[in-house]
């Protein structure tokens, strides 16, 4: 299996009624036996997932930026936010 195939994520979506207000993810890696393991944003494995996403979105010509969503967690793991490149920093 290609090493990039082991990089994955848990999606985070926040809605206000029917309006999507936040998009993010918790970086994860897949173990050889197929288990998905959430990773901290500041871990080497978490950074590998985030850097991979930065690379592939840039290579695809997408204007996307990634910043932690302060105060947002899934299962005790901080969430990395996904934004249009020109979006203001959320409050």
């Amino acid at each position: 299996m290609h090493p990039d195939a082991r990089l994955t994520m848990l999606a985070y979506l926040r809605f206000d009624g029917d309006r999507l207000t936040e998009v993010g993810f918790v970086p994860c890696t897949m173990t050889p036996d197929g288990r998905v393991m959430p990773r901290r944003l500041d871990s080497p494995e978490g950074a590998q997932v985030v850097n991979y996403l930065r690379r592939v979105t840039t290579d695809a010509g997408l204007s996307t930026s990634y910043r932690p969503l302060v105060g947002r967690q899934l299962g005790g793991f901080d969430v990395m936010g996904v934004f249009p490149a020109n979006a203001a920093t959320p409050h």
Side-chain angles (χ1 to χ4, degrees):
M1 178 182 283
H2 191 281
D4 289 350
R6 297 201 179 276
L7 306 179
T8 189
M9 67 186 83
L10 296 172
Y12 171 89
L13 303 171
R14 186 177 180 113
F15 290 87
D16 182 5
D18 62 354
R19 188 174 70 89
L20 181 62
T21 59
E22 291 179 334
V23 175
F25 64 91
V26 171
C28 300
T29 56
M30 193 179 338
T31 63
D33 64 353
R35 291 181 296 137
V36 174
M37 302 296 296
R39 302 298 182 176
R40 293 173 43 101
L41 296 179
D42 60 357
S43 72
E45 298 90 350
Q48 181 183 13
V49 173
V50 173
N51 290 335
Y52 173 79
L53 287 171
R54 284 186 171 124
R55 180 172 45 88
V56 298
T57 55
T58 297
D59 290 351
L62 302 174
S63 297
T64 307
S65 66
Y66 302 92
R67 300 185 293 279
L69 287 175
V70 177
R72 302 288 190 244
Q73 291 191 331
L74 280 176
F77 291 87
D78 292 332
V79 174
M80 178 63 73
V82 180
F83 304 91
N86 57 357
T89 301
H91 301 285

